[in-house]
Amino acid sequence: MTALTQFVKHNSLTLAFGTGFLVTLTGQAVSGHADFNNQLVAQGLHPLTFWQYLATSDFAVDVTENWQSEYLQFFLYIFGTVWLLQRGSPESKELHKGGVESDREQKVGDHAGTHSPRWAADRGWRQKLYSRSLGTVMAAIFVWSWLAQSINGSAAYNEQHLRDLQAPIPWTQYLGTADFWNRTLQNWQSELLAVASMAILSVYLRQRGSPESKPVGAAHTSTGVEG
């Protein structure tokens, strides 16, 4: 096995979904450009080039409103599953392990191994920061993308107002509009439904070979067991 083949095999999950992301983002840009120009032509305005469209607030808000909902899901799921449990689900920890668990179970401080991350063995702020780094980064990306959505959404909203010969509104006022909360909540509800569905359906249904599923023959009551 060559070094390249081994790299692709060992990173195939990230590479496959990363490639899928780029392909679908390109498809969104192409279709969004066509739809945007159709609206401009219908209003008697000149269409934009593809590259001009990529710099518009309309394209930016469509992208960021989906990103913020996805990272909200990850952030809530990572932190929520520390304490919240679901009997029989592989998405849940075992029922007796709710909470942050002991240093021995988490292999930190004196219990860190020779191959543990260096900050895991630290007894100060580095360990505390590193032990919450995944959820913290997910939360930071969510906040950033939500802020980006609000700024770009405000710009797109005001552009439409100007086309309709209406006065634009400031960003702070846009945060209280139905447009902003409709964009936000329609994504949040779908992400929360998806997580809840995965948690309960994985109690009774199986997918052979997937770490997101229990082994096919595992009992429905088996909790925190992966295939």
Side-chain angles (χ1 to χ4, degrees):
M1 182 181 293
T2 66
L4 177 59
T5 302
Q6 185 179 54
F7 174 82
V8 172
K9 178 180 179 181
H10 290 178
N11 297 278
S12 57
L13 185 61
T14 299
L15 291 173
F17 280 91
T19 301
F21 161 72
L22 294 176
V23 170
T24 53
L25 181 62
T26 301
Q28 177 188 348
V30 171
S31 59
H33 173 238
D35 181 60
F36 188 74
N37 276 343
N38 287 339
Q39 295 179 40
L40 291 180
V41 171
Q43 295 173 355
L45 302 173
H46 291 293
L48 301 180
T49 67
F50 179 72
W51 301 110
Q52 288 175 325
Y53 170 70
L54 294 185
T56 64
S57 56
D58 286 78
F59 176 67
V61 71
D62 286 344
V63 172
T64 54
E65 74 175 64
N66 287 291
W67 288 6
Q68 58 89 6
S69 64
E70 296 295 337
Y71 282 99
L72 172 69
Q73 175 192 143
F74 290 138
F75 160 62
L76 293 178
Y77 190 72
I78 290 167
F79 276 105
T81 50
V82 174
W83 294 278
L84 303 179
L85 307 169
Q86 175 58 57
R87 182 173 181 265
S89 176
E91 301 297 313
S92 168
K93 293 193 296 184
E94 296 177 52
L95 301 180
H96 65 281
K97 289 187 176 181
V100 295
E101 302 179 13
S102 67
D103 287 354
R104 180 184 295 276
E105 291 173 310
Q106 288 293 308
K107 299 180 180 179
V108 297
D110 294 335
H111 304 285
T114 55
H115 297 292
S116 297
R118 186 174 61 181
W119 282 22
D122 189 271
R123 296 179 179 81
W125 65 270
R126 291 180 180 86
Q127 182 202 114
K128 293 180 180 179
L129 177 62
Y130 186 69
S131 65
R132 296 165 178 81
S133 57
L134 180 59
T136 300
V137 169
M138 291 296 181
I141 297 175
F142 160 66
V143 171
W144 170 83
S145 56
W146 197 19
L147 178 62
Q149 177 208 333
S150 69
I151 293 172
N152 288 292
S154 175
Y157 185 80
N158 282 331
E159 286 176 7
Q160 186 60 51
H161 266 217
L162 290 172
R163 291 183 200 136
D164 297 336
L165 303 179
Q166 297 178 2
I169 62 175
W171 172 70
T172 52
Q173 186 175 339
Y174 174 72
L175 295 181
T177 64
D179 181 81
F180 173 68
W181 285 106
N182 179 54
R183 286 181 177 273
T184 296
L185 295 175
Q186 68 178 327
N187 286 289
W188 286 9
Q189 55 86 14
S190 63
E191 299 302 333
L192 294 172
L193 174 62
V195 172
S197 299
M198 184 63 183
I200 191 62
L201 291 177
S202 60
V203 174
Y204 303 102
L205 305 179
R206 308 286 189 270
Q207 182 60 53
R208 184 168 182 166
S210 174
E212 299 303 314
S213 167
K214 294 185 288 189
V216 177
H220 291 328
T221 54
S222 297
T223 306
V225 178
E226 298 178 345

